[in-house]
Amino acid sequence: MSTVMDSFSWLYGKPSCQGRIKVEPEDFVVKENLGFAFAGTGEHFMVKIRKTGENTKYVVNELAKACGVKSRDVSWAGLKDRHAVTEQWLSVHLPGKADPDLSAFEAEHPGVEVLETARHDKKLRPGDLVGNAFQLRLRDLDQPEEVIARLAQIREHGVPNYFGEQRFGHNGNNVTKARAWGNDEFRVRDKSKRSFYLSAARSWMFNQVLSARIENNTVRSVMAGDWLESEADPRGMLVATVTDSIQQDVDAGRLSITAPMMGDNALPTTADAQAFEMAIVEQEPALLKLIRDNRMRHERRPLLLKPEQVEWQHDGDTITVSFALPAGCFATAVVREMMQEIVDETEGTEHDAYSDQ
């Protein structure tokens, strides 16, 4: 089955192995990592849940009822996929109130377990996490040996840091709508739809630049004018002249080549890199116009993603793989490099998760 992602290049070539994922919710396990400790006191009642086959926003609404507050008083660091088993924290604003008893809430919602509670002095906000840990079961693999070989490559060299198909909507509908909005074919007043379409527009152009760099073999090779980033210096640096030292730092993972999340301000890249990026994004004039009209601010995103703690177990035509990703990265970008997913036409293409949602 073809998908909207088929237009983007694979780092190791398109996989020939076919298989299934998410046959059962337990085949896709996600555990959130906030990366910070709670204060122990404060106005916010923190609830760690494990949900199976449930939508995050549905659980938020039901938890709000159980705590006697409005849905807007419950917040989260990231939305999690419905068709999975996921663990995450929710925060409930309960100033001056005792911790509520959630036993009835659990009894009424068998797909939700309360694992832990705490108090904190700040509410959770989208993006308040360092990442997620994943455990995925890949079933009915017709060439499991190929998957194992690719896992070894992924562990050593990483995968393209693509935004996953779920960012673009079913059959890329969010991108289609974004283009139409950019062409002034209609207006979008709904705040959530505006966010979906703008995110899809920026993500689509990022994926296009990344795919083009894979095609011309520069995804790991520094260009003159590239913008590089590192964990040690998130401000980034411009490459005026490509040197052996800079390329060695990229090869060793100390520096990362980036591509644009387009905005209305000028690109920080120059020379060959800027010319390359603009030649790609200017093929989407409606999306560019939309982003500039809405005063989006330019950001950068690394081209490559290296999953951590990559491990796997092989049992016949099934492989169980685990890995951790930082916030904002998609598990589907990892799976895409391992196998082609068999999806029944009636199932649609809804998937997990990127780690900040």
mmCIF file of all heavy atoms in Angstrom, residues 223-258:
data_model
loop_
_atom_site.group_PDB
_atom_site.id
_atom_site.type_symbol
_atom_site.label_atom_id
_atom_site.label_comp_id
_atom_site.label_asym_id
_atom_site.label_seq_id
_atom_site.Cartn_x
_atom_site.Cartn_y
_atom_site.Cartn_z
ATOM 1 N N MET A 223 28.053 20.872 3.743
ATOM 2 C CA MET A 223 28.120 21.814 2.629
ATOM 3 C C MET A 223 28.639 23.154 3.128
ATOM 4 O O MET A 223 28.435 23.511 4.303
ATOM 5 C CB MET A 223 26.725 22.065 2.037
ATOM 6 C CG MET A 223 26.116 20.974 1.232
ATOM 7 S SD MET A 223 24.535 21.587 0.567
ATOM 8 C CE MET A 223 23.972 20.152 -0.322
ATOM 9 N N ALA A 224 29.229 23.917 2.245
ATOM 10 C CA ALA A 224 29.571 25.303 2.575
ATOM 11 C C ALA A 224 28.282 26.057 2.881
ATOM 12 O O ALA A 224 27.314 25.975 2.124
ATOM 13 C CB ALA A 224 30.299 25.962 1.411
ATOM 14 N N GLY A 225 28.250 26.741 4.026
ATOM 15 C CA GLY A 225 27.070 27.486 4.430
ATOM 16 C C GLY A 225 26.076 26.708 5.260
ATOM 17 O O GLY A 225 25.017 27.232 5.628
ATOM 18 N N ASP A 226 26.386 25.446 5.589
ATOM 19 C CA ASP A 226 25.490 24.650 6.438
ATOM 20 C C ASP A 226 25.399 25.259 7.830
ATOM 21 O O ASP A 226 26.326 25.922 8.314
ATOM 22 C CB ASP A 226 26.005 23.211 6.568
ATOM 23 C CG ASP A 226 25.235 22.233 5.698
ATOM 24 O OD1 ASP A 226 24.044 22.481 5.431
ATOM 25 O OD2 ASP A 226 25.832 21.219 5.274
ATOM 26 N N TRP A 227 24.269 24.972 8.503
ATOM 27 C CA TRP A 227 24.089 25.356 9.899
ATOM 28 C C TRP A 227 24.137 24.078 10.732
ATOM 29 O O TRP A 227 23.342 23.165 10.527
ATOM 30 C CB TRP A 227 22.756 26.066 10.106
ATOM 31 C CG TRP A 227 22.613 26.664 11.474
ATOM 32 C CD1 TRP A 227 21.982 26.118 12.542
ATOM 33 C CD2 TRP A 227 23.129 27.924 11.929
ATOM 34 N NE1 TRP A 227 22.061 26.950 13.630
ATOM 35 C CE2 TRP A 227 22.763 28.074 13.280
ATOM 36 C CE3 TRP A 227 23.861 28.934 11.325
ATOM 37 C CZ2 TRP A 227 23.097 29.191 14.040
ATOM 38 C CZ3 TRP A 227 24.195 30.053 12.073
ATOM 39 C CH2 TRP A 227 23.820 30.168 13.412
ATOM 40 N N LEU A 228 25.108 24.031 11.656
ATOM 41 C CA LEU A 228 25.309 22.846 12.486
ATOM 42 C C LEU A 228 24.892 23.131 13.920
ATOM 43 O O LEU A 228 25.011 24.257 14.402
ATOM 44 C CB LEU A 228 26.777 22.417 12.453
ATOM 45 C CG LEU A 228 27.427 22.218 11.086
ATOM 46 C CD1 LEU A 228 28.854 21.720 11.252
ATOM 47 C CD2 LEU A 228 26.620 21.264 10.225
ATOM 48 N N GLU A 229 24.425 22.099 14.596
ATOM 49 C CA GLU A 229 24.033 22.219 16.000
ATOM 50 C C GLU A 229 24.657 21.092 16.803
ATOM 51 O O GLU A 229 25.041 20.060 16.252
ATOM 52 C CB GLU A 229 22.509 22.191 16.149
ATOM 53 C CG GLU A 229 21.817 23.404 15.565
ATOM 54 C CD GLU A 229 20.311 23.381 15.771
ATOM 55 O OE1 GLU A 229 19.792 22.329 16.232
ATOM 56 O OE2 GLU A 229 19.652 24.396 15.474
ATOM 57 N N SER A 230 24.735 21.300 18.120
ATOM 58 C CA SER A 230 25.219 20.258 19.024
ATOM 59 C C SER A 230 24.507 20.410 20.354
ATOM 60 O O SER A 230 23.971 21.474 20.671
ATOM 61 C CB SER A 230 26.731 20.371 19.223
ATOM 62 O OG SER A 230 27.053 21.528 19.973
ATOM 63 N N GLU A 231 24.509 19.340 21.132
ATOM 64 C CA GLU A 231 23.916 19.416 22.472
ATOM 65 C C GLU A 231 24.702 20.385 23.346
ATOM 66 O O GLU A 231 24.138 21.071 24.191
ATOM 67 C CB GLU A 231 23.885 18.033 23.112
ATOM 68 C CG GLU A 231 22.897 17.075 22.457
ATOM 69 C CD GLU A 231 22.796 15.758 23.202
ATOM 70 O OE1 GLU A 231 23.409 15.648 24.293
ATOM 71 O OE2 GLU A 231 22.122 14.836 22.698
ATOM 72 N N ALA A 232 26.002 20.453 23.129
ATOM 73 C CA ALA A 232 26.840 21.345 23.935
ATOM 74 C C ALA A 232 26.565 22.812 23.627
ATOM 75 O O ALA A 232 26.690 23.668 24.505
ATOM 76 C CB ALA A 232 28.316 21.021 23.701
ATOM 77 N N ASP A 233 26.188 23.110 22.363
ATOM 78 C CA ASP A 233 25.945 24.499 21.975
ATOM 79 C C ASP A 233 24.711 24.554 21.081
ATOM 80 O O ASP A 233 24.814 24.561 19.849
ATOM 81 C CB ASP A 233 27.159 25.081 21.244
ATOM 82 C CG ASP A 233 26.978 26.563 20.905
ATOM 83 O OD1 ASP A 233 25.987 27.158 21.381
ATOM 84 O OD2 ASP A 233 27.811 27.119 20.177
ATOM 85 N N PRO A 234 23.518 24.585 21.682
ATOM 86 C CA PRO A 234 22.284 24.572 20.891
ATOM 87 C C PRO A 234 22.077 25.830 20.055
ATOM 88 O O PRO A 234 21.175 25.876 19.223
ATOM 89 C CB PRO A 234 21.191 24.428 21.956
ATOM 90 C CG PRO A 234 21.809 24.948 23.216
ATOM 91 C CD PRO A 234 23.261 24.613 23.125
ATOM 92 N N ARG A 235 22.906 26.869 20.275
ATOM 93 C CA ARG A 235 22.772 28.077 19.464
ATOM 94 C C ARG A 235 23.143 27.810 18.021
ATOM 95 O O ARG A 235 22.658 28.493 17.114
ATOM 96 C CB ARG A 235 23.663 29.190 20.031
ATOM 97 C CG ARG A 235 23.261 29.679 21.414
ATOM 98 C CD ARG A 235 24.298 30.642 21.954
ATOM 99 N NE ARG A 235 25.603 29.992 22.082
ATOM 100 C CZ ARG A 235 26.704 30.625 22.463
ATOM 101 N NH1 ARG A 235 26.667 31.916 22.720
ATOM 102 N NH2 ARG A 235 27.851 29.960 22.563
ATOM 103 N N GLY A 236 23.997 26.844 17.784
ATOM 104 C CA GLY A 236 24.370 26.480 16.431
ATOM 105 C C GLY A 236 25.539 27.286 15.902
ATOM 106 O O GLY A 236 25.990 28.262 16.503
ATOM 107 N N MET A 237 26.044 26.853 14.738
ATOM 108 C CA MET A 237 27.182 27.520 14.128
ATOM 109 C C MET A 237 27.077 27.434 12.611
ATOM 110 O O MET A 237 26.574 26.463 12.053
ATOM 111 C CB MET A 237 28.500 26.884 14.582
ATOM 112 C CG MET A 237 28.650 25.418 14.231
ATOM 113 S SD MET A 237 30.290 24.737 14.622
ATOM 114 C CE MET A 237 31.242 25.374 13.249
ATOM 115 N N LEU A 238 27.529 28.501 11.949
ATOM 116 C CA LEU A 238 27.554 28.553 10.494
ATOM 117 C C LEU A 238 28.890 28.023 9.986
ATOM 118 O O LEU A 238 29.948 28.373 10.518
ATOM 119 C CB LEU A 238 27.360 29.999 10.028
ATOM 120 C CG LEU A 238 27.428 30.251 8.525
ATOM 121 C CD1 LEU A 238 26.237 29.610 7.825
ATOM 122 C CD2 LEU A 238 27.480 31.750 8.241
ATOM 123 N N VAL A 239 28.839 27.195 8.949
ATOM 124 C CA VAL A 239 30.056 26.666 8.347
ATOM 125 C C VAL A 239 30.432 27.555 7.168
ATOM 126 O O VAL A 239 29.880 27.414 6.068
ATOM 127 C CB VAL A 239 29.867 25.211 7.886
ATOM 128 C CG1 VAL A 239 31.140 24.700 7.235
ATOM 129 C CG2 VAL A 239 29.481 24.323 9.065
ATOM 130 N N ALA A 240 31.342 28.473 7.403
ATOM 131 C CA ALA A 240 31.801 29.339 6.319
ATOM 132 C C ALA A 240 32.679 28.557 5.354
ATOM 133 O O ALA A 240 32.582 28.698 4.128
ATOM 134 C CB ALA A 240 32.558 30.536 6.884
ATOM 135 N N THR A 241 33.553 27.713 5.913
ATOM 136 C CA THR A 241 34.449 26.881 5.114
ATOM 137 C C THR A 241 34.438 25.466 5.668
ATOM 138 O O THR A 241 34.616 25.269 6.874
ATOM 139 C CB THR A 241 35.888 27.428 5.153
ATOM 140 O OG1 THR A 241 35.894 28.785 4.709
ATOM 141 C CG2 THR A 241 36.799 26.599 4.269
ATOM 142 N N VAL A 242 34.225 24.501 4.807
ATOM 143 C CA VAL A 242 34.210 23.099 5.237
ATOM 144 C C VAL A 242 35.643 22.634 5.460
ATOM 145 O O VAL A 242 36.490 22.732 4.571
ATOM 146 C CB VAL A 242 33.529 22.209 4.189
ATOM 147 C CG1 VAL A 242 33.518 20.754 4.667
ATOM 148 C CG2 VAL A 242 32.117 22.686 3.911
ATOM 149 N N THR A 243 35.926 22.140 6.669
ATOM 150 C CA THR A 243 37.252 21.630 7.006
ATOM 151 C C THR A 243 37.164 20.162 7.413
ATOM 152 O O THR A 243 36.090 19.656 7.752
ATOM 153 C CB THR A 243 37.861 22.434 8.167
ATOM 154 O OG1 THR A 243 37.070 22.207 9.355
ATOM 155 C CG2 THR A 243 37.893 23.930 7.854
ATOM 156 N N ASP A 244 38.307 19.482 7.388
ATOM 157 C CA ASP A 244 38.346 18.087 7.833
ATOM 158 C C ASP A 244 37.894 17.965 9.279
ATOM 159 O O ASP A 244 37.212 16.999 9.651
ATOM 160 C CB ASP A 244 39.762 17.529 7.682
ATOM 161 C CG ASP A 244 40.163 17.337 6.227
ATOM 162 O OD1 ASP A 244 39.261 17.328 5.361
ATOM 163 O OD2 ASP A 244 41.370 17.208 5.958
ATOM 164 N N SER A 245 38.255 18.942 10.100
ATOM 165 C CA SER A 245 37.886 18.905 11.520
ATOM 166 C C SER A 245 36.379 18.962 11.705
ATOM 167 O O SER A 245 35.812 18.214 12.513
ATOM 168 C CB SER A 245 38.554 20.064 12.253
ATOM 169 O OG SER A 245 38.127 20.115 13.595
ATOM 170 N N ILE A 246 35.711 19.846 10.971
ATOM 171 C CA ILE A 246 34.253 19.956 11.069
ATOM 172 C C ILE A 246 33.588 18.677 10.596
ATOM 173 O O ILE A 246 32.663 18.156 11.239
ATOM 174 C CB ILE A 246 33.754 21.174 10.269
ATOM 175 C CG1 ILE A 246 34.163 22.472 10.964
ATOM 176 C CG2 ILE A 246 32.239 21.127 10.099
ATOM 177 C CD1 ILE A 246 33.846 23.731 10.176
ATOM 178 N N GLN A 247 34.048 18.143 9.468
ATOM 179 C CA GLN A 247 33.458 16.908 8.955
ATOM 180 C C GLN A 247 33.673 15.751 9.930
ATOM 181 O O GLN A 247 32.774 14.916 10.135
ATOM 182 C CB GLN A 247 34.048 16.565 7.595
ATOM 183 C CG GLN A 247 33.421 15.344 6.942
ATOM 184 C CD GLN A 247 31.944 15.519 6.646
ATOM 185 O OE1 GLN A 247 31.549 16.425 5.939
ATOM 186 N NE2 GLN A 247 31.111 14.652 7.225
ATOM 187 N N GLN A 248 34.811 15.706 10.572
ATOM 188 C CA GLN A 248 35.081 14.657 11.566
ATOM 189 C C GLN A 248 34.137 14.776 12.756
ATOM 190 O O GLN A 248 33.682 13.767 13.301
ATOM 191 C CB GLN A 248 36.539 14.727 12.017
ATOM 192 C CG GLN A 248 37.538 14.254 10.964
ATOM 193 C CD GLN A 248 38.973 14.619 11.297
ATOM 194 O OE1 GLN A 248 39.267 15.110 12.397
ATOM 195 N NE2 GLN A 248 39.883 14.400 10.350
ATOM 196 N N ASP A 249 33.837 16.008 13.181
ATOM 197 C CA ASP A 249 32.896 16.206 14.286
ATOM 198 C C ASP A 249 31.498 15.743 13.906
ATOM 199 O O ASP A 249 30.762 15.188 14.739
ATOM 200 C CB ASP A 249 32.861 17.683 14.704
ATOM 201 C CG ASP A 249 34.061 18.079 15.546
ATOM 202 O OD1 ASP A 249 34.720 17.182 16.107
ATOM 203 O OD2 ASP A 249 34.338 19.290 15.649
ATOM 204 N N VAL A 250 31.104 15.960 12.660
ATOM 205 C CA VAL A 250 29.809 15.472 12.181
ATOM 206 C C VAL A 250 29.813 13.949 12.121
ATOM 207 O O VAL A 250 28.869 13.288 12.582
ATOM 208 C CB VAL A 250 29.479 16.079 10.802
ATOM 209 C CG1 VAL A 250 28.260 15.380 10.179
ATOM 210 C CG2 VAL A 250 29.208 17.572 10.935
ATOM 211 N N ASP A 251 30.874 13.372 11.591
ATOM 212 C CA ASP A 251 30.972 11.913 11.487
ATOM 213 C C ASP A 251 30.901 11.249 12.858
ATOM 214 O O ASP A 251 30.330 10.162 13.008
ATOM 215 C CB ASP A 251 32.280 11.511 10.802
ATOM 216 C CG ASP A 251 32.338 11.936 9.342
ATOM 217 O OD1 ASP A 251 31.274 12.218 8.757
ATOM 218 O OD2 ASP A 251 33.452 12.007 8.787
ATOM 219 N N ALA A 252 31.471 11.904 13.870
ATOM 220 C CA ALA A 252 31.501 11.349 15.222
ATOM 221 C C ALA A 252 30.231 11.652 16.010
ATOM 222 O O ALA A 252 30.077 11.175 17.138
ATOM 223 C CB ALA A 252 32.709 11.890 15.976
ATOM 224 N N GLY A 253 29.325 12.441 15.431
ATOM 225 C CA GLY A 253 28.073 12.767 16.108
ATOM 226 C C GLY A 253 28.172 13.925 17.077
ATOM 227 O O GLY A 253 27.215 14.200 17.809
ATOM 228 N N ARG A 254 29.314 14.614 17.092
ATOM 229 C CA ARG A 254 29.453 15.771 17.987
ATOM 230 C C ARG A 254 28.728 17.002 17.433
ATOM 231 O O ARG A 254 28.348 17.891 18.188
ATOM 232 C CB ARG A 254 30.932 16.083 18.216
ATOM 233 C CG ARG A 254 31.667 15.007 19.019
ATOM 234 C CD ARG A 254 33.094 15.406 19.332
ATOM 235 N NE ARG A 254 33.930 15.416 18.141
ATOM 236 C CZ ARG A 254 34.625 14.372 17.702
ATOM 237 N NH1 ARG A 254 34.554 13.215 18.341
ATOM 238 N NH2 ARG A 254 35.385 14.453 16.607
ATOM 239 N N LEU A 255 28.562 17.056 16.128
ATOM 240 C CA LEU A 255 27.814 18.116 15.473
ATOM 241 C C LEU A 255 26.783 17.482 14.543
ATOM 242 O O LEU A 255 27.008 16.399 13.985
ATOM 243 C CB LEU A 255 28.742 19.024 14.657
ATOM 244 C CG LEU A 255 29.686 19.945 15.430
ATOM 245 C CD1 LEU A 255 30.662 20.623 14.474
ATOM 246 C CD2 LEU A 255 28.901 21.003 16.203
ATOM 247 N N SER A 256 25.657 18.165 14.361
ATOM 248 C CA SER A 256 24.587 17.661 13.497
ATOM 249 C C SER A 256 24.288 18.664 12.398
ATOM 250 O O SER A 256 24.109 19.865 12.671
ATOM 251 C CB SER A 256 23.303 17.411 14.300
ATOM 252 O OG SER A 256 23.507 16.431 15.296
ATOM 253 N N ILE A 257 24.201 18.188 11.164
ATOM 254 C CA ILE A 257 23.739 19.020 10.056
ATOM 255 C C ILE A 257 22.228 19.210 10.212
ATOM 256 O O ILE A 257 21.509 18.273 10.565
ATOM 257 C CB ILE A 257 24.049 18.360 8.704
ATOM 258 C CG1 ILE A 257 25.540 18.031 8.593
ATOM 259 C CG2 ILE A 257 23.617 19.259 7.549
ATOM 260 C CD1 ILE A 257 25.884 17.174 7.373
ATOM 261 N N THR A 258 21.736 20.407 9.937
ATOM 262 C CA THR A 258 20.318 20.696 10.120
ATOM 263 C C THR A 258 19.661 21.113 8.812
ATOM 264 O O THR A 258 20.328 21.469 7.837
ATOM 265 C CB THR A 258 20.110 21.823 11.152
ATOM 266 O OG1 THR A 258 20.645 23.055 10.620
ATOM 267 C CG2 THR A 258 20.781 21.495 12.477
#
